[in-house]
Amino acid sequence: MKKENGAMKTNPSDSLSAEFLLTEYNALQDRARSLEEIKSGRLNFFLLVVGAAIAGLSNLYNGGPFVSVYRIGVLVSVLVLFLLGILTLKSAVDYSMAIVVLYRRAGRIRRWFVDRDETISRYVAFEPADDRPRMSMPSSFFAWRGGEPVLVVINMVSAGVLVGAGLSFIRNDILPWAGMGVTALLTWILQNLYIAKKLDKGERLEEKRVMFPFRPDSGE
């Protein structure tokens, strides 16, 4: 193909290719939005369960025949919340990675149009490349890709309370509080390490599939 005034001369088959790629592009965007909604729905469901558990434990503590088993109720509740929170966090990271892959495939299609008309390269909303967006976001501590801070915090608290409540059956001194604090800190660290490792592994796998890397010196 030859360039004419910054644009590439097209052949008759380009219109059919453009129509096909536009259909692909719209399908990718729809799929990404669908995954975003699923991820948001799971997070909202988890928060609803957390709210219900807190309300139930509050009513249990305020009176009634079950006050004597309050600590057991706390233990069971936080165990369920912790397990559900870990599963929710895992699915959130997986969904976010899949969404990034879809956006990168859309960037590949965007590149096709920019290659055929370089005059639009300064006007496209996102980079015409398939190595963007990045899966990891190292510049922002609280902006993990897929690892919503609220999930990490709730899991941290749940793990701490779980250990603290368990130790309270053994001793009623400072040990349960110390165990709660140490467990919460370890849970925070382990979750962040898991998220970082998962996103880094996904990034390395996707780097092998990059066909059109971002070229900042080309005006993209």
Side-chain angles (χ1 to χ4, degrees), residues 169-185:
F169 285 97
I170 303 174
R171 295 171 60 175
N172 280 324
D173 52 12
I174 197 175
L175 180 63
W177 296 101
M180 182 185 302
V182 172
T183 303
L185 179 61

Side-chain angles (χ1 to χ4, degrees), residues 15 39 42 121 123-124 142 148 153-155 181 190-191 198 205-206:
S15 59
K39 185 180 74 170
R42 292 199 173 192
S121 62
Y123 304 101
V124 292
F142 270 98
E148 285 75 1
V153 171
I154 291 176
N155 291 341
L190 290 175
Q191 286 182 104
K198 185 95 171 177
L205 289 175
E206 277 302 303

Side-chain angles (χ1 to χ4, degrees), residues 5-136:
N5 298 325
M8 298 188 76
K9 200 172 183 180
T10 59
N11 58 53
S13 65
D14 275 358
S15 59
L16 182 61
S17 299
E19 183 178 351
F20 170 75
L21 288 175
L22 282 174
T23 302
E24 288 278 280
Y25 183 86
N26 291 330
L28 288 170
Q29 296 295 324
D30 290 341
R31 181 59 176 165
R33 282 193 293 269
S34 176
L35 291 181
E36 288 279 10
E37 291 174 358
I38 294 173
K39 185 180 74 170
S40 178
R42 292 199 173 192
L43 177 59
N44 290 334
F45 172 76
F46 175 67
L47 294 178
L48 184 64
V49 172
V50 172
I54 293 175
L57 290 175
S58 177
N59 291 333
L60 188 66
Y61 182 76
N62 286 335
F66 301 106
V67 176
S68 58
V69 294
Y70 178 73
R71 284 191 297 177
I72 297 178
V74 170
L75 198 64
V76 173
S77 298
V78 294
L79 175 60
V80 172
L81 290 179
F82 178 71
L83 295 176
L84 183 60
I86 293 298
L87 292 175
T88 304
L89 179 63
K90 181 182 181 302
S91 67
V93 176
D94 289 338
Y95 279 125
S96 293
M97 292 172 63
I99 291 167
V100 168
V101 171
L102 293 174
Y103 284 149
R104 289 187 175 190
R105 298 299 177 267
R108 189 177 292 175
I109 295 174
R110 194 178 297 112
R111 175 65 170 266
W112 187 90
F113 286 96
V114 170
D115 281 347
R116 275 147 187 77
D117 186 359
E118 293 183 359
T119 61
I120 70 172
S121 62
R122 292 181 298 173
Y123 304 101
V124 292
F126 301 99
E127 294 90 350
D130 61 352
D131 61 348
R132 296 291 190 279
R134 308 291 294 179
M135 287 191 181
S136 56

Side-chain angles (χ1 to χ4, degrees), residues 155-169:
N155 291 341
M156 176 189 71
V157 174
S158 298
V161 174
L162 178 64
V163 172
L167 290 175
S168 68
F169 285 97

Side-chain angles (χ1 to χ4, degrees), residues 171-204:
R171 295 171 60 175
N172 280 324
D173 52 12
I174 197 175
L175 180 63
W177 296 101
M180 182 185 302
V182 172
T183 303
L185 179 61
L186 287 176
T187 305
W188 171 273
I189 294 173
L190 290 175
Q191 286 182 104
N192 281 280
L193 288 176
Y194 165 77
I195 294 169
K197 184 177 180 180
K198 185 95 171 177
L199 296 181
D200 184 63
K201 181 179 179 181
E203 187 67 47
R204 290 199 308 270

